[in-house]
Amino acid sequence: MRRAAVSALAGHSAIQSHVEDFIMQTLVRNSLAALLIAAATAPATLPAEAQEAPRVHYQEIPEGAYSVVAQVRAKPGKEDMLRAATLPLIDLVRSDPKNLVYFLQEDRAKPGHFIFYEVFASQADFDAHNAMPYVKDWFAKLPELADGGVEVMRMAILGKPKK
């Protein structure tokens, strides 16, 4: 009798173990499925800068637009200070309704070497941009922070946009 009871209990434990394994596998499978569904249906989350940046459409850039490529290099030891003074320009310039395109880039191999790419509808719009107080304030900081000032190339955009 004892053997039968022990055998029945052992069989019960094995069944219980299989049931527990089945329940655990089902929970894991259902959790994974729920995560996959949530990921597939959730809107992509982007950094705030990417969500707020206006989208550039090449066909909206007028023929004869005024383009500028400029560079500035930090004095040795002033890289972080020049970066801190320059980063706020991104939001300020992009919020200017006359600015069509604005990119600020930093050389990965030479921190403190910045390249600006800017497009305005006309030279008058670019000149108005340079007269803005925040631009004048930035230029006023350069003698302390930059090695040699700003080198500016005034560029013509080639290739008429297709509409």
Side-chain angles (χ1 to χ4, degrees):
M1 185 85 150
R2 285 186 180 180
R3 281 188 184 170
V6 168
S7 188
L9 285 176
H12 179 68
S13 293
I15 291 172
Q16 184 176 357
S17 177
H18 286 304
V19 169
E20 288 173 355
D21 286 346
F22 174 76
I23 290 171
M24 186 58 78
Q25 289 173 2
T26 303
L27 287 172
V28 168
R29 215 179 357 246
N30 288 346
S31 297
L32 287 173
L35 285 172
L36 288 171
I37 290 169
T41 59
T45 55
L46 299 172
E49 307 86 57
Q51 291 176 2
E52 295 171 11
R55 184 169 204 132
V56 175
H57 298 281
Y58 294 107
Q59 67 274 15
E60 294 174 6
I61 296 175
E63 189 173 358
Y66 196 76
S67 174
V68 171
V69 178
Q71 65 180 347
V72 63
R73 291 178 179 89
K75 288 182 177 179
K78 302 281 184 168
E79 296 87 354
D80 291 339
M81 292 175 66
L82 182 58
R83 185 179 306 104
T86 306
L87 283 174
L89 294 176
I90 296 169
D91 289 336
L92 293 167
V93 177
R94 287 182 180 173
S95 68
D96 181 342
K98 294 185 179 195
N99 173 258
L100 303 176
V101 177
Y102 182 84
F103 288 104
L104 171 64
Q105 303 162 91
E106 184 173 11
D107 188 334
R108 292 175 194 252
K110 300 173 190 162
H113 180 190
F114 298 95
I115 303 290
F116 301 81
Y117 179 72
E118 306 176 43
V119 179
F120 291 85
S122 67
Q123 182 174 350
D125 289 346
F126 177 70
D127 293 341
H129 156 72
N130 279 339
M132 297 295 287
Y134 63 86
V135 176
K136 287 182 175 187
D137 290 345
W138 182 78
F139 273 105
K141 295 174 186 174
L142 291 185
E144 176 191 344
L145 303 175
D147 188 15
V150 179
E151 295 176 39
V152 178
M153 294 179 286
R154 299 168 194 284
M155 309 298 288
I157 296 177
L158 303 177
K160 183 177 178 181
K162 295 178 172 97
K163 294 190 180 202

